[in-house]
Amino acid sequence: MMAYTEILLVDDEPHILRALKRELRRFVAHIHTAESGQQALAILSEHHIGLVISDYRMPHMDGAELLINIHQRYPDIATIMLSGQADLPGVSRAINAGALSQYVSKPWDREVLCNTVKTILSNKQASLPHDTLTRCFSQDALNQRIQAMAVDVKTPWLVVVIDSQGTSTINETQSVMAGNHQLQRVSEHLHQITEFHWYRIADKFVGLLAYSSTGHCLLNALIESLNRAGEEKALPTQLMVSALRSWQEISFETIQARKAKKIPLYDAHYWLPCPDEHQDDATLRTLIRDIEAKHFEAFFQPQLNIVTGEIDGFEALVRRRLESGGYQSPAAFLPLLSQYKLEDVLTTAMFEQALEAIRLLRQADPLKTISVNVTARQLETGFVVGVIQRLLPDYPDDVPQLEVELVETDRIHNFTHAHQQMDRLKSLGISCALDDFGTGFAGFESMCDLPFDVIKIDGRFVRNIGQSEMDEVILSSISQSAALMNVEVVAEWVENQNQIDFLREKGCTRVQGYGIGAPLSRDHLLEFLATFKHNNMPSQA
């Protein structure tokens, strides 16, 4: 970091200042000079100085007075006093005031002086919680934090590296002072994102990010902030990320080595690979890339109204688009998203794509609904309502055609909170459905205690129609209970007309399954509606 440090020399004799500059210019970024205490204080008010070397004997304000003044105003600045033996009684004033880091006698020994400067700057930087130029924490503090974290292999963390682009070129073609000015501007912008603690390594800024749905949103906020800084403030930066568990400690050299092998992630952002390319490192990189590239896509399975013979709506089902152009089923990637606690990111994307599809469908029929799956936690905590309210200004006419479908993967812990959130959804015109009724946590307690508009019968009961008398009895019981509570019944996994006839007889109104239609991409929805004919299926007779 000495290569970025500016120092100030103070002496009333110009030839002494010139001699000192010759001795020290190879070790630091820039050397300022002053011939009086007042001139020195003026320079300090305008520049980020790391070290002041002052003569003792000067008119108007001696070196002891100056260093005491500096210590009171800028306690983080290191100081060295140059003086002869006769000046020691006066120098002791600065020592007693705690304003002196080191004393060097005149005439100085070149090697002693240079070693003293190097030692003081190194010790001062190590002792400070942050550097004076950028207010960022040090590299040592970063590595201490990494070691103290004892990173749990089950908890993914990211290293976020912000590279101040062009700083080295500015240092070479203009001055290190100009490069430092750019670093200061970048750091001021980064500090506005208060969720990060930034660490500085040379011309790079490093942050640690717990990766989850919340962390992914924070990463996006950082990306947007850097893009704005580039456009509005002409701050050229490059964002690079990597898995934390593949780093033991972070230094300028290790960042540079990985940067040479950086992998494009998306847009102008990059992944710094683990040297051994651990599998979890590659998996996390691919996952982040696919989320940002919108490779998690909603497909829409049609729902047939078996009373009217019309398609009433669709259920949004997620698929992952692969580099080969094919698609991966949810069973293959949902455990991975769950491992990284990215369910909220996925659900947000599904709501956005569902609303885009509703807007498209309104060209053919303004009353088509699309259901989106959510978990009990997402409902209870208000996450679902929060997402929809954020999207509402962009989709005011489309939101009422949403149906929120509560899946059975986890238990409702607070029925009061869940009820309140469902009331808020209903106030927006959104209907609420209970998925996979009859299995897991989706039972009669939920249907009785919460204001569901729809229950979806688990497909295994539908599949066994005509094969299991017990399952048919259960279906009849569910349908009768739903009718008494004025709740609509929807059946999944419908494949043939016999199932439809049985379900219609029991009061079911909507069905979905491959007998009606396979999940469709958004681009094929209008084509499906235009060509769908219920009379293609066996008659109701």
Side-chain angles (χ1 to χ4, degrees):
M1 294 291 282
M2 286 179 59
Y4 294 86
T5 302
E6 300 175 37
I7 70 172
L8 171 61
L9 308 178
V10 188
D11 198 301
D12 61 332
E13 298 184 52
H15 71 280
I16 297 292
L17 293 176
R18 289 194 294 270
L20 285 171
K21 286 186 70 173
R22 285 195 299 270
E23 304 281 21
L24 301 174
R25 62 190 176 187
R26 292 178 295 127
F27 306 119
V28 294
H30 185 78
I31 298 176
H32 301 266
T33 60
E35 297 183 8
S36 68
Q38 290 298 336
Q39 187 180 0
L41 292 174
I43 290 172
L44 288 169
S45 69
E46 297 178 359
H47 299 276
H48 288 274
I49 305 298
L51 170 67
V52 174
I53 302 176
S54 175
D55 184 31
Y56 174 74
R57 292 192 176 187
M58 293 186 297
H60 308 299
M61 182 187 299
D62 65 32
E65 292 178 79
L66 172 62
L67 296 189
I68 291 171
N69 202 318
I70 291 172
H71 179 66
Q72 292 171 343
R73 298 189 190 187
Y74 311 102
D76 290 342
I77 295 180
T79 56
I80 293 176
M81 181 80 79
L82 291 175
S83 65
Q85 293 293 323
D87 302 323
L88 286 179
V91 173
S92 65
R93 284 186 291 130
I95 296 174
N96 293 334
L100 187 59
S101 303
Q102 187 70 45
Y103 161 78
V104 175
S105 62
K106 293 175 67 175
W108 64 81
D109 178 275
R110 179 178 182 278
E111 185 175 352
V112 169
L113 176 64
C114 292
N115 288 338
T116 299
V117 169
K118 293 177 184 178
T119 300
I120 285 179
L121 285 176
S122 297
N123 291 343
K124 193 67 175 180
Q125 289 167 359
S127 66
L128 293 175
H130 49 73
D131 73 74
T132 56
L133 176 67
T134 66
R135 295 185 296 113
C136 293
F137 296 100
S138 68
Q139 175 183 328
D140 287 341
L142 172 61
N143 288 324
Q144 288 173 17
R145 184 182 173 196
I146 291 174
Q147 294 168 13
M149 287 169 67
V151 182
D152 183 349
V153 295
K154 296 180 181 178
T155 303
W157 283 75
L158 296 180
V159 174
V160 179
V161 181
I162 310 297
D163 193 345
S164 179
Q165 293 287 87
T167 301
S168 58
T169 302
I170 293 174
N171 293 343
E172 294 170 3
T173 60
Q174 300 180 40
S175 68
V176 176
M177 288 177 60
N180 281 352
H181 179 63
Q182 173 163 299
L183 290 175
Q184 185 182 8
R185 291 176 63 224
V186 172
S187 69
E188 288 173 351
H189 184 79
L190 292 177
H191 285 308
Q192 295 175 12
I193 308 174
T194 57
E195 292 86 351
F196 280 94
H197 287 151
W198 292 105
Y199 302 82
R200 179 188 168 200
I201 301 178
D203 61 348
K204 295 171 176 57
F205 302 90
V206 180
L208 303 181
L209 174 66
Y211 191 62
S212 62
S213 288
T214 300
H216 188 84
C217 292
L218 182 56
L219 181 62
N220 277 345
L222 175 61
I223 293 169
E224 292 175 4
S225 177
L226 292 175
N227 288 340
R228 286 197 304 273
E231 295 173 0
E232 300 172 5
K233 303 178 182 180
L235 288 180
T237 57
Q238 185 179 89
L239 174 66
M240 299 171 286
V241 297
S242 182
L244 177 63
R245 65 173 65 99
S246 65
W247 300 71
Q248 281 68 50
E249 65 175 27
I250 301 177
S251 66
F252 177 78
E253 290 74 20
T254 56
I255 292 175
Q256 289 297 93
R258 294 197 185 189
K259 183 181 175 183
K261 300 179 180 180
K262 65 186 180 183
I263 300 170
L265 196 59
Y266 51 89
D267 297 334
H269 312 302
Y270 301 89
W271 183 267
L272 299 183
C274 170
D276 299 326
E277 191 64 16
H278 293 166
Q279 182 59 41
D280 60 345
D281 181 89
T283 298
L284 186 55
R285 164 171 51 86
T286 304
L287 189 62
I288 294 173
R289 182 204 65 192
D290 284 357
I291 290 174
E292 290 306 314
K294 301 187 185 302
H295 286 176
F296 290 93
E297 299 179 14
F299 275 59
F300 304 92
Q301 187 165 37
Q303 296 177 338
L304 173 69
N305 186 314
I306 55 178
V307 177
T308 66
E310 300 293 331
I311 297 296
D312 273 0
F314 300 83
E315 179 183 0
L317 302 170
V318 65
R319 301 287 185 268
R320 184 184 190 180
R321 178 154 48 90
L322 304 175
E323 291 184 359
S324 63
Y327 285 88
Q328 191 179 52
S329 69
F333 62 79
L334 286 181
L336 184 64
L337 291 172
S338 178
Q339 174 187 342
Y340 292 116
K341 297 180 174 60
L342 291 168
E343 296 94 336
D344 290 352
V345 170
L346 178 64
T347 300
T348 299
M350 289 300 100
F351 273 115
E352 291 173 343
Q353 293 181 51
L355 287 168
E356 291 171 0
I358 289 172
R359 177 168 292 178
L360 177 67
L361 288 169
R362 290 176 61 237
Q363 299 177 23
D365 188 333
L367 300 179
K368 303 295 186 210
T369 63
I370 291 183
S371 60
V372 177
N373 293 325
V374 304
T375 66
R377 177 193 61 80
Q378 291 173 329
L379 176 68
E380 287 181 67
T381 58
F383 168 79
V384 174
V385 171
V387 168
I388 292 173
Q389 287 181 329
R390 288 195 297 273
L391 294 170
L392 184 60
D394 294 325
Y395 300 93
D397 299 323
D398 309 303
V399 163
Q401 297 309 119
L402 281 173
E403 184 171 86
V404 169
E405 191 169 314
L406 186 66
V407 298
E408 56 82 37
T409 51
D410 56 359
R411 181 186 299 276
I412 297 172
H413 292 93
N414 191 314
F415 278 82
T416 300
H417 287 174
H419 200 300
Q420 291 171 347
Q421 293 300 315
M422 291 173 71
D423 286 341
R424 295 182 67 181
L425 290 171
K426 288 173 177 289
S427 71
L428 297 173
I430 298 170
S431 58
C432 299
L434 181 60
D435 192 24
D436 293 332
F437 189 85
T439 65
F441 301 115
F444 281 96
E445 180 186 16
S446 299
M447 185 172 73
C448 294
D449 291 348
L450 295 172
F452 286 106
D453 305 289
V454 178
I455 60 169
K456 297 188 73 175
I457 299 174
D458 183 71
R460 73 176 187 181
F461 298 116
V462 176
R463 178 177 291 174
N464 289 331
I465 291 174
Q467 301 177 35
S468 169
E469 185 176 344
M470 180 58 69
D471 284 339
E472 291 182 3
V473 170
I474 293 173
L475 274 174
S476 298
S477 176
I478 292 173
S479 300
Q480 290 170 9
S481 300
L484 289 173
M485 301 180 69
N486 197 31
V487 174
E488 184 183 6
V489 178
V490 176
E492 300 181 290
W493 295 11
V494 171
E495 297 176 351
N496 58 62
Q497 187 65 41
N498 289 335
Q499 294 169 338
I500 291 177
D501 292 339
F502 179 90
L503 292 165
R504 184 190 297 109
E505 180 184 342
K506 299 303 178 183
C508 179
T509 53
R510 272 189 284 162
V511 297
Q512 70 181 79
Y514 279 81
I516 311 303
L520 305 160
S521 68
R522 187 184 63 181
D523 294 340
H524 291 91
L525 289 177
L526 294 181
E527 178 185 351
F528 172 82
L529 289 178
T531 58
F532 177 81
K533 300 293 183 183
H534 180 50
N535 58 18
N536 290 338
M537 300 186 64
S539 67
Q540 300 178 19

